[in-house]
Amino acid sequence: MTDTAVTPGGTSTPAKRRWHPARFGPLVVLAVLIALPYWSIEIPGVFDTAINKPGTLQLLALCLVFGALATGYDLLFGRTGLLSFGHALYFAAGVYGTDVLITKAGYPLWQAVLFAVVGTATIAAALGAVALRTNGIAFAMVTLAFAQVGAITIGRDPGGVTGGEEGLPMDTAKVPDALVGVTNTVNLYWLAVGVAVITVLVVHAIADAPAGRVLAAIRDDERRVGVLGLDPYRYKLFAFTVAGGLAGLAGAMYALLIGGATPHVAVSDQTLTLLVMVVLGGPGTRWGPLIGGMLFTYLDYRLVSFGRSDAVDSLPGVLSGPLSQPLFVLGTVFILAVYFFPGGLAGLRTRLGPLARWIPDRR
């Protein structure tokens, strides 16, 4: 709402908007992310090397990829109310689609990424057209069945295309030299930042558009949307297709980061991990899924080295045993987060008191 000021003559004129730091917070964070490779800061206990070293940039890039993947999944789960157990299929389609088109078909990188994303969105539209004929738990089971078929197909390596259980290393001959090699990890990192920005912009644009309000209404009461003369099926299929395409984009970036494709990206556990990321960050919130995805991925990778550290080994066996298991620590963190912050990390805003005004509340 625009503030107004009353002049001595009794007329009202628009007053100048007061500066609010929260409006510029995302831009500041983006600027920091872009500038990180120029900083040689070391943060003991948080990263093993300086921020601008390849190992740290690789980890940060993976965090951004999975943060973007969780944001796209939240378009289904948090904003439309669709609990899909098969979203890993579209992530895997992006990973394998990009790798196969480059390694087997000989396409250059950017054409392969484009075809992989469009192809993944097409697959999502086709399978979503079938799955969305069901609701509730039946919908979740149908999406899970599709994902299982995809995982089995990848594992059986039809025609020697996917590499089976061994995966498919990427042929870097068709990849630009600026994206190949450890010394160019910084370029992959910046590309991951771009993927995260694109995903966030797409999801937020949909959420802020009239279609986003319809999706929210479907989440709250689908029957009422039908009574108003709108077709919930069309809007749900739209969200399903866009979320699938965004998963394909994240998959393409993941294939570049790890230099190929591995079958674990297609397993159903991947979708459950996405669900945990979204719940941890805050489903249906503006920044929660992105933060939850990044935090979960960071902990998933860092807790492995933490469990093998001397500090854990020196503890009594009753403590060192559980703490050496990353899944135990992750599960404990997730339980505590859900218990103390039911709305996810995004719900911290309501618990920070006077500091809450610094955190955006737009959805």
Side-chain angles (χ1 to χ4, degrees), residues 2-249:
T2 303
D3 298 330
T4 58
V6 179
T7 62
T11 59
S12 61
T13 58
K16 185 178 180 180
R17 288 182 180 270
R18 287 178 293 181
W19 180 82
H20 199 295
R23 295 176 182 172
F24 300 93
L27 293 178
V28 172
V29 172
L30 177 59
V32 170
L33 289 174
I34 293 175
L36 279 182
Y38 297 105
W39 298 347
S40 58
I41 301 174
E42 293 187 6
I43 309 178
V46 179
F47 299 112
D48 291 331
T49 59
I51 290 179
N52 62 347
K53 296 299 182 181
T56 301
L57 291 178
Q58 175 89 357
L59 174 57
L60 291 174
L62 286 171
C63 291
L64 287 165
V65 168
F66 283 101
L69 183 60
T71 302
Y73 180 70
D74 187 60
L75 183 63
L76 283 181
F77 176 66
R79 298 186 182 274
T80 313
L82 296 174
L83 178 58
S84 169
F85 283 157
H87 204 64
L89 172 63
Y90 312 110
F91 179 61
V95 175
Y96 274 93
T98 302
D99 194 4
V100 170
L101 287 172
I102 292 175
T103 304
K104 298 293 185 178
Y107 281 91
L109 172 64
W110 306 119
Q111 288 185 21
V113 171
L114 177 62
F115 291 157
V117 172
V118 173
T120 301
T122 303
I123 294 173
L127 299 184
V130 176
L132 289 169
R133 297 296 179 182
T134 61
N135 293 294
I137 191 64
F139 169 77
M141 292 299 100
V142 170
T143 56
L144 176 61
F146 284 140
Q148 288 296 98
V149 171
I152 293 172
T153 302
I154 289 173
R156 291 189 174 181
D157 190 20
V161 174
T162 65
E165 297 297 330
E166 300 298 325
L168 183 66
M170 182 177 292
D171 181 4
T172 58
K174 295 292 183 178
V175 179
D177 293 338
L179 300 177
V180 178
V182 176
T183 57
N184 291 316
T185 304
V186 60
N187 296 326
L188 290 172
Y189 165 78
W190 279 325
L191 200 58
V193 172
V195 168
V197 169
I198 291 172
T199 302
V200 168
L201 289 177
V202 170
V203 172
H204 289 184
I206 293 173
D208 295 337
R213 291 188 283 274
V214 175
L215 294 178
I218 292 173
R219 175 194 61 199
D220 298 335
D221 192 339
E222 182 176 339
R223 288 180 296 180
R224 181 174 296 181
V225 174
V227 170
L228 293 175
L230 299 173
D231 185 3
Y233 175 82
R234 292 175 56 191
Y235 284 93
K236 290 192 294 184
L237 182 58
F238 167 73
F240 199 94
T241 303
V242 173
L246 293 175
L249 178 61

Side-chain angles (χ1 to χ4, degrees), residues 285-301:
T285 58
R286 197 165 185 85
W287 304 105
L290 178 67
I291 296 172
M294 294 181 65
L295 177 61
F296 185 94
T297 304
Y298 169 80
L299 292 175
D300 189 27
Y301 279 84

Side-chain angles (χ1 to χ4, degrees), residues 267-274:
V267 298
S268 57
D269 290 352
Q270 191 71 48
T271 300
L272 295 178
T273 300
L274 285 178

